[in-house]
């Protein structure tokens, strides 16, 4: 990718991490790093900090220490965790959900107490290719399976709450608006985004956005989406090399991005996430970077880069933020989740 996007990270040995022995809290499924990576380099103020990496081993280790009682650990032994090709990620204040299309498993990680649950079946149906997940704000999760062409709502224990019925071709990205009780589903080959409204009897189709094309409001193989705090919807319109922004009522607000390898350009835009201050993070799977834009689509910064070291990415896909402005990126090619955090500007 263009030199403007190859922004190196400053690596600093973290004395605090060393003194603490890299201790993990119960709901922290990643091991804190002993070296600190920040972007951009001085003299610019840091805006992104690398927090750590979630792998099968860190999930298993944390769940063994915190998520199971001593009796269950003695009887059942440590949980076996496999993480092959993580794709969709979603978080709220309680739950981090990971969809692994490679093993056809959805992982639910409790960010408050370290509980862990692997979901392989929905009722009597074996998951085939879970790609999209969306936390429901109450510990449960919506799951979209691209092969089954179905979308399920599951409780925190993995039990079926409901099924969102629609004529899906291949459901991929999901997002849930807790305040409005609306579920958004990207149907990639249908070049559309479907909005479902939660009602007493289930979920009804409220509207369908898109249709194939290059004009405003149309899509060309959309993949992921994310909600801002005000309810605006950000959709990665991958083969139109842009991100489109919609109001909660489905009106097109703006779009940003273009094909290329420079700042603000996209090769293959995949995951998108929005933090509490309105910063928009867009994952580029072709260039293995994350670009940050303001809410108006103005480019601010890029970080990460190709590789398997701390903070680097290989074929990344989904992304999400949590209530503490951590950014989780599905580092699919490296079979892990990379965790970053936005560094707020210090006010005098």
């Amino acid at each position: 990718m263009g030199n403007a996007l190859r922004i190196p990270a400053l690596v600093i040995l973290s004395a605090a991490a060393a003194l603490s022995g890299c201790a993990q809290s119960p709901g922290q499924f990643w091991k804190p790093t002993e070296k600190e990576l920040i972007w951009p380099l001085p003299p610019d103020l840091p805006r992104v900090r690398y927090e750590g990496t979630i792998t099968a081993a860190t999930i298993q280790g944390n769940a063994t220490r915190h998520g199971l009682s001593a009796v269950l650990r003695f009887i059942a032994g440590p949980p076996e965790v496999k993480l092959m090709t993580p794709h969709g990620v979603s978080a709220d204040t309680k739950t981090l959900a990971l969809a692994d299309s490679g093993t056809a498993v959805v992982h639910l990680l409790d960010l408050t107490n370290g509980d862990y649950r692997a979901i392989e079946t929905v009722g009597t149906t074996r998951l085939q290719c879970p790609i999209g997940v969306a936390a429901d704000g109450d510990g449960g999760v919506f799951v979209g399976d691209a092969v089954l062409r179905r979308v399920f709502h599951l409780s925190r224990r993995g039990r079926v709450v409901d099924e969102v019925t629609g004529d899906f071709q291949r459901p991929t990205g999901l997002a849930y608006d807790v305040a409005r009780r609306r579920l958004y589903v990207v149907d990639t080959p249908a070049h559309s985004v479907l909005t479902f409204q939660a009602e007493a009897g289930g979920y009804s189709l409220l509207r369908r956005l898109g249709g194939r094309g290059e004009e405003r409001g149309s899509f060309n193989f959309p993949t992921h989406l994310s909600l801002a705090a005000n309810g605006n919807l950000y959709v990665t319109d991958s083969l139109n090399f842009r991100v489109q922004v919609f109001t909660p009522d489905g009106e097109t607000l703006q779009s940003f991005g273009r094909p290329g390898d420079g700042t603000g350009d996209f090769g293959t835009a995949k995951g998108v996430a929005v933090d509490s201050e309105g910063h928009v993070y867009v994952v580029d799977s072709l260039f293995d970077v994350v670009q940050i834009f303001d809410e108006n689509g103005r480019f601010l910064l890029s970080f990460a880069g190709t590789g398997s070291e701390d903070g680097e990415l290989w074929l990344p896909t989904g992304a999400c933020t949590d209530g503490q402005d951590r950014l989780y990126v599905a580092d699919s090619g490296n079979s892990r989740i990379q965790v970053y955090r936005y560094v707020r500007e210090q006010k005098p």
Side-chain angles (χ1 to χ4, degrees), residues 256-304:
F256 57 90
R258 58 186 179 271
D261 63 356
T263 56
D265 299 344
F266 297 133
T268 306
K270 287 291 185 74
V272 60
V274 186
D275 69 19
S276 65
E277 296 190 1
H279 301 109
V280 183
Y281 303 83
V282 183
V283 174
D284 197 308
S285 186
L286 180 62
F287 299 124
D288 302 315
V289 298
V290 180
Q291 296 193 69
I292 308 177
F293 300 83
D294 67 14
E295 59 186 2
N296 296 315
R298 182 173 65 94
F299 172 81
L300 300 175
L301 173 70
S302 71
F303 63 94

Side-chain angles (χ1 to χ4, degrees), residues 54-272:
I54 299 174
T55 64
T58 65
I59 295 173
Q60 180 166 318
N62 194 77
T64 300
R65 284 190 299 274
H66 303 294
L68 296 174
S69 69
V71 174
L72 287 177
R73 284 198 299 269
F74 177 78
I75 296 174
E80 182 181 5
V81 180
K82 294 181 180 179
L83 194 62
M84 182 182 297
T85 314
H87 195 110
V89 291
S90 180
D92 55 25
T93 58
K94 301 177 182 178
T95 304
L96 174 63
L98 316 174
D100 186 352
S101 58
T103 59
V105 173
V106 172
H107 304 272
L108 291 185
L109 316 181
D110 192 311
L111 299 175
T112 63
N113 61 20
D115 281 348
Y116 166 74
R117 185 174 300 274
I119 301 173
E120 299 181 5
T121 59
V122 176
T124 59
T125 302
R126 179 70 169 88
L127 292 174
Q128 298 296 312
C129 186
I131 290 181
V133 285
D136 69 359
D138 194 35
V141 65
F142 295 88
V143 178
D145 191 299
V147 171
L148 295 176
R149 302 181 182 182
R150 298 169 70 181
V151 176
F152 306 96
H153 185 195
L154 308 178
S155 72
R156 68 180 65 201
R157 297 186 177 277
R159 296 170 181 166
V160 179
V161 175
D162 207 341
E163 180 171 353
V164 182
T165 57
D167 187 19
F168 303 117
Q169 293 185 36
R170 183 178 173 85
T172 50
L174 304 181
Y176 184 64
D177 187 333
V178 175
R180 295 174 178 82
R181 301 180 67 216
R182 291 177 183 173
L183 176 69
Y184 297 90
V185 181
V186 175
D187 195 342
T188 296
H191 313 285
S192 62
V193 174
L194 288 74
T195 306
F196 294 89
Q197 182 68 55
E199 298 175 341
Y203 295 87
S204 62
L205 180 63
L206 182 64
R207 71 176 59 91
R208 180 188 296 265
L209 301 175
R212 191 169 194 179
E214 299 178 357
E215 62 272 14
R216 180 183 174 96
S218 297
F219 299 117
N220 191 13
F221 291 95
T223 55
H224 297 75
L225 73 175
S226 182
L227 288 164
N230 61 3
N232 286 345
L233 185 68
Y234 291 76
V235 183
T236 50
D237 187 8
S238 294
L239 293 190
N240 279 327
F241 307 97
R242 64 187 180 186
V243 173
Q244 294 205 65
V245 188
F246 300 85
T247 69
D249 295 325
E251 298 178 4
T252 308
L253 282 177
Q254 63 170 326
S255 67
F256 57 90
R258 58 186 179 271
D261 63 356
T263 56
D265 299 344
F266 297 133
T268 306
K270 287 291 185 74
V272 60

Side-chain angles (χ1 to χ4, degrees), residues 25-45:
S25 61
Q28 183 173 309
F29 287 86
W30 60 93
K31 182 179 180 180
T33 178
E34 292 185 8
K35 59 182 181 181
E36 186 175 72
L37 280 73
I38 57 174
W39 294 266
L41 293 171
D44 294 322
L45 293 175

